[in-house]
mmCIF file with all atom_site columns, all heavy atoms in Angstrom:
data_model
loop_
_atom_site.group_PDB
_atom_site.id
_atom_site.type_symbol
_atom_site.label_atom_id
_atom_site.label_alt_id
_atom_site.label_comp_id
_atom_site.label_asym_id
_atom_site.label_entity_id
_atom_site.label_seq_id
_atom_site.pdbx_PDB_ins_code
_atom_site.Cartn_x
_atom_site.Cartn_y
_atom_site.Cartn_z
_atom_site.occupancy
_atom_site.B_iso_or_equiv
_atom_site.pdbx_formal_charge
_atom_site.auth_seq_id
_atom_site.auth_comp_id
_atom_site.auth_asym_id
_atom_site.auth_atom_id
_atom_site.pdbx_PDB_model_num
ATOM 1   N N   . LYS A 1 8  ? 50.279 53.722 -26.729 1.00 96.00 ? 164 LYS A N   1
ATOM 2   C CA  . LYS A 1 8  ? 50.683 54.739 -27.703 1.00 96.00 ? 164 LYS A CA  1
ATOM 3   C C   . LYS A 1 8  ? 52.026 55.353 -27.335 1.00 96.00 ? 164 LYS A C   1
ATOM 4   O O   . LYS A 1 8  ? 52.848 55.636 -28.211 1.00 96.00 ? 164 LYS A O   1
ATOM 5   C CB  . LYS A 1 8  ? 49.611 55.819 -27.811 1.00 96.00 ? 164 LYS A CB  1
ATOM 6   C CG  . LYS A 1 8  ? 48.362 55.345 -28.529 1.00 96.00 ? 164 LYS A CG  1
ATOM 7   C CD  . LYS A 1 8  ? 47.350 56.448 -28.683 1.00 96.00 ? 164 LYS A CD  1
ATOM 8   C CE  . LYS A 1 8  ? 46.105 55.931 -29.377 1.00 96.00 ? 164 LYS A CE  1
ATOM 9   N NZ  . LYS A 1 8  ? 45.105 56.983 -29.550 1.00 96.00 ? 164 LYS A NZ  1
ATOM 10  N N   . ALA A 1 9  ? 52.266 55.535 -26.061 1.00 95.00 ? 165 ALA A N   1
ATOM 11  C CA  . ALA A 1 9  ? 53.558 56.070 -25.619 1.00 95.00 ? 165 ALA A CA  1
ATOM 12  C C   . ALA A 1 9  ? 54.690 55.110 -25.975 1.00 95.00 ? 165 ALA A C   1
ATOM 13  O O   . ALA A 1 9  ? 55.774 55.537 -26.381 1.00 95.00 ? 165 ALA A O   1
ATOM 14  C CB  . ALA A 1 9  ? 53.528 56.335 -24.116 1.00 95.00 ? 165 ALA A CB  1
ATOM 15  N N   . LYS A 1 10 ? 54.430 53.814 -25.863 1.00 97.00 ? 166 LYS A N   1
ATOM 16  C CA  . LYS A 1 10 ? 55.441 52.824 -26.252 1.00 97.00 ? 166 LYS A CA  1
ATOM 17  C C   . LYS A 1 10 ? 55.694 52.881 -27.759 1.00 97.00 ? 166 LYS A C   1
ATOM 18  O O   . LYS A 1 10 ? 56.841 52.770 -28.209 1.00 97.00 ? 166 LYS A O   1
ATOM 19  C CB  . LYS A 1 10 ? 55.009 51.420 -25.837 1.00 97.00 ? 166 LYS A CB  1
ATOM 20  C CG  . LYS A 1 10 ? 55.152 51.159 -24.360 1.00 97.00 ? 166 LYS A CG  1
ATOM 21  C CD  . LYS A 1 10 ? 54.771 49.731 -24.003 1.00 97.00 ? 166 LYS A CD  1
ATOM 22  C CE  . LYS A 1 10 ? 54.935 49.472 -22.520 1.00 97.00 ? 166 LYS A CE  1
ATOM 23  N NZ  . LYS A 1 10 ? 54.692 48.052 -22.175 1.00 97.00 ? 166 LYS A NZ  1
ATOM 24  N N   . THR A 1 11 ? 54.644 53.069 -28.539 1.00 96.00 ? 167 THR A N   1
ATOM 25  C CA  . THR A 1 11 ? 54.798 53.184 -29.989 1.00 96.00 ? 167 THR A CA  1
ATOM 26  C C   . THR A 1 11 ? 55.654 54.390 -30.342 1.00 96.00 ? 167 THR A C   1
ATOM 27  O O   . THR A 1 11 ? 56.550 54.300 -31.192 1.00 96.00 ? 167 THR A O   1
ATOM 28  C CB  . THR A 1 11 ? 53.419 53.286 -30.672 1.00 96.00 ? 167 THR A CB  1
ATOM 29  O OG1 . THR A 1 11 ? 52.677 52.101 -30.380 1.00 96.00 ? 167 THR A OG1 1
ATOM 30  C CG2 . THR A 1 11 ? 53.550 53.453 -32.177 1.00 96.00 ? 167 THR A CG2 1
ATOM 31  N N   . ILE A 1 12 ? 55.421 55.496 -29.693 1.00 96.00 ? 168 ILE A N   1
ATOM 32  C CA  . ILE A 1 12 ? 56.220 56.703 -29.923 1.00 96.00 ? 168 ILE A CA  1
ATOM 33  C C   . ILE A 1 12 ? 57.678 56.456 -29.540 1.00 96.00 ? 168 ILE A C   1
ATOM 34  O O   . ILE A 1 12 ? 58.603 56.862 -30.253 1.00 96.00 ? 168 ILE A O   1
ATOM 35  C CB  . ILE A 1 12 ? 55.629 57.899 -29.140 1.00 96.00 ? 168 ILE A CB  1
ATOM 36  C CG1 . ILE A 1 12 ? 54.275 58.283 -29.745 1.00 96.00 ? 168 ILE A CG1 1
ATOM 37  C CG2 . ILE A 1 12 ? 56.590 59.083 -29.125 1.00 96.00 ? 168 ILE A CG2 1
ATOM 38  C CD1 . ILE A 1 12 ? 53.451 59.220 -28.892 1.00 96.00 ? 168 ILE A CD1 1
ATOM 39  N N   . THR A 1 13 ? 57.897 55.765 -28.436 1.00 97.00 ? 169 THR A N   1
ATOM 40  C CA  . THR A 1 13 ? 59.258 55.458 -27.997 1.00 97.00 ? 169 THR A CA  1
ATOM 41  C C   . THR A 1 13 ? 59.944 54.525 -28.984 1.00 97.00 ? 169 THR A C   1
ATOM 42  O O   . THR A 1 13 ? 61.116 54.704 -29.312 1.00 97.00 ? 169 THR A O   1
ATOM 43  C CB  . THR A 1 13 ? 59.246 54.843 -26.580 1.00 97.00 ? 169 THR A CB  1
ATOM 44  O OG1 . THR A 1 13 ? 58.542 55.732 -25.708 1.00 97.00 ? 169 THR A OG1 1
ATOM 45  C CG2 . THR A 1 13 ? 60.656 54.644 -26.059 1.00 97.00 ? 169 THR A CG2 1
ATOM 46  N N   . HIS A 1 14 ? 59.215 53.529 -29.488 1.00 96.00 ? 170 HIS A N   1
ATOM 47  C CA  . HIS A 1 14 ? 59.785 52.634 -30.501 1.00 96.00 ? 170 HIS A CA  1
ATOM 48  C C   . HIS A 1 14 ? 60.161 53.410 -31.765 1.00 96.00 ? 170 HIS A C   1
ATOM 49  O O   . HIS A 1 14 ? 61.202 53.156 -32.372 1.00 96.00 ? 170 HIS A O   1
ATOM 50  C CB  . HIS A 1 14 ? 58.816 51.509 -30.851 1.00 96.00 ? 170 HIS A CB  1
ATOM 51  C CG  . HIS A 1 14 ? 58.829 50.368 -29.889 1.00 96.00 ? 170 HIS A CG  1
ATOM 52  N ND1 . HIS A 1 14 ? 59.970 49.671 -29.547 1.00 96.00 ? 170 HIS A ND1 1
ATOM 53  C CD2 . HIS A 1 14 ? 57.822 49.783 -29.184 1.00 96.00 ? 170 HIS A CD2 1
ATOM 54  C CE1 . HIS A 1 14 ? 59.664 48.712 -28.683 1.00 96.00 ? 170 HIS A CE1 1
ATOM 55  N NE2 . HIS A 1 14 ? 58.371 48.766 -28.439 1.00 96.00 ? 170 HIS A NE2 1
ATOM 56  N N   . ASP A 1 15 ? 59.320 54.358 -32.157 1.00 97.00 ? 171 ASP A N   1
ATOM 57  C CA  . ASP A 1 15 ? 59.629 55.181 -33.334 1.00 97.00 ? 171 ASP A CA  1
ATOM 58  C C   . ASP A 1 15 ? 60.924 55.969 -33.112 1.00 97.00 ? 171 ASP A C   1
ATOM 59  O O   . ASP A 1 15 ? 61.774 56.050 -34.003 1.00 97.00 ? 171 ASP A O   1
ATOM 60  C CB  . ASP A 1 15 ? 58.475 56.127 -33.662 1.00 97.00 ? 171 ASP A CB  1
ATOM 61  C CG  . ASP A 1 15 ? 57.242 55.396 -34.185 1.00 97.00 ? 171 ASP A CG  1
ATOM 62  O OD1 . ASP A 1 15 ? 57.358 54.216 -34.598 1.00 97.00 ? 171 ASP A OD1 1
ATOM 63  O OD2 . ASP A 1 15 ? 56.151 56.010 -34.186 1.00 97.00 ? 171 ASP A OD2 1
ATOM 64  N N   . ALA A 1 16 ? 61.070 56.540 -31.927 1.00 96.00 ? 172 ALA A N   1
ATOM 65  C CA  . ALA A 1 16 ? 62.294 57.293 -31.611 1.00 96.00 ? 172 ALA A CA  1
ATOM 66  C C   . ALA A 1 16 ? 63.505 56.364 -31.617 1.00 96.00 ? 172 ALA A C   1
ATOM 67  O O   . ALA A 1 16 ? 64.591 56.735 -32.081 1.00 96.00 ? 172 ALA A O   1
ATOM 68  C CB  . ALA A 1 16 ? 62.155 57.979 -30.248 1.00 96.00 ? 172 ALA A CB  1
ATOM 69  N N   . ARG A 1 17 ? 63.325 55.145 -31.119 1.00 97.00 ? 173 ARG A N   1
ATOM 70  C CA  . ARG A 1 17 ? 64.406 54.152 -31.117 1.00 97.00 ? 173 ARG A CA  1
ATOM 71  C C   . ARG A 1 17 ? 64.816 53.809 -32.541 1.00 97.00 ? 173 ARG A C   1
ATOM 72  O O   . ARG A 1 17 ? 66.002 53.731 -32.862 1.00 97.00 ? 173 ARG A O   1
ATOM 73  C CB  . ARG A 1 17 ? 63.940 52.884 -30.382 1.00 97.00 ? 173 ARG A CB  1
ATOM 74  C CG  . ARG A 1 17 ? 64.927 51.733 -30.394 1.00 97.00 ? 173 ARG A CG  1
ATOM 75  C CD  . ARG A 1 17 ? 64.312 50.460 -29.836 1.00 97.00 ? 173 ARG A CD  1
ATOM 76  N NE  . ARG A 1 17 ? 63.082 50.048 -30.481 1.00 97.00 ? 173 ARG A NE  1
ATOM 77  C CZ  . ARG A 1 17 ? 63.036 49.360 -31.619 1.00 97.00 ? 173 ARG A CZ  1
ATOM 78  N NH1 . ARG A 1 17 ? 64.126 49.004 -32.239 1.00 97.00 ? 173 ARG A NH1 1
ATOM 79  N NH2 . ARG A 1 17 ? 61.874 49.027 -32.145 1.00 97.00 ? 173 ARG A NH2 1
ATOM 80  N N   . ARG A 1 18 ? 63.843 53.636 -33.411 1.00 97.00 ? 174 ARG A N   1
ATOM 81  C CA  . ARG A 1 18 ? 64.140 53.309 -34.812 1.00 97.00 ? 174 ARG A CA  1
ATOM 82  C C   . ARG A 1 18 ? 64.913 54.433 -35.500 1.00 97.00 ? 174 ARG A C   1
ATOM 83  O O   . ARG A 1 18 ? 65.841 54.188 -36.269 1.00 97.00 ? 174 ARG A O   1
ATOM 84  C CB  . ARG A 1 18 ? 62.852 53.014 -35.567 1.00 97.00 ? 174 ARG A CB  1
ATOM 85  C CG  . ARG A 1 18 ? 62.231 51.699 -35.182 1.00 97.00 ? 174 ARG A CG  1
ATOM 86  C CD  . ARG A 1 18 ? 60.961 51.409 -36.000 1.00 97.00 ? 174 ARG A CD  1
ATOM 87  N NE  . ARG A 1 18 ? 60.264 50.284 -35.434 1.00 97.00 ? 174 ARG A NE  1
ATOM 88  C CZ  . ARG A 1 18 ? 59.164 50.369 -34.686 1.00 97.00 ? 174 ARG A CZ  1
ATOM 89  N NH1 . ARG A 1 18 ? 58.627 51.551 -34.419 1.00 97.00 ? 174 ARG A NH1 1
ATOM 90  N NH2 . ARG A 1 18 ? 58.597 49.291 -34.208 1.00 97.00 ? 174 ARG A NH2 1
ATOM 91  N N   . VAL A 1 19 ? 64.539 55.667 -35.224 1.00 97.00 ? 175 VAL A N   1
ATOM 92  C CA  . VAL A 1 19 ? 65.237 56.814 -35.812 1.00 97.00 ? 175 VAL A CA  1
ATOM 93  C C   . VAL A 1 19 ? 66.683 56.856 -35.327 1.00 97.00 ? 175 VAL A C   1
ATOM 94  O O   . VAL A 1 19 ? 67.614 57.037 -36.112 1.00 97.00 ? 175 VAL A O   1
ATOM 95  C CB  . VAL A 1 19 ? 64.494 58.134 -35.486 1.00 97.00 ? 175 VAL A CB  1
ATOM 96  C CG1 . VAL A 1 19 ? 65.336 59.344 -35.843 1.00 97.00 ? 175 VAL A CG1 1
ATOM 97  C CG2 . VAL A 1 19 ? 63.156 58.176 -36.211 1.00 97.00 ? 175 VAL A CG2 1
ATOM 98  N N   . ALA A 1 20 ? 66.880 56.687 -34.025 1.00 97.00 ? 176 ALA A N   1
ATOM 99  C CA  . ALA A 1 20 ? 68.239 56.714 -33.466 1.00 97.00 ? 176 ALA A CA  1
ATOM 100 C C   . ALA A 1 20 ? 69.085 55.584 -34.051 1.00 97.00 ? 176 ALA A C   1
ATOM 101 O O   . ALA A 1 20 ? 70.261 55.779 -34.375 1.00 97.00 ? 176 ALA A O   1
ATOM 102 C CB  . ALA A 1 20 ? 68.178 56.609 -31.941 1.00 97.00 ? 176 ALA A CB  1
#
Side-chain angles (χ1 to χ4, degrees):
K164 288 183 181 180
K166 285 183 179 185
T167 299
I168 292 167
T169 306
H170 278 305
D171 291 343
R173 176 189 55 82
R174 288 182 191 103
V175 169

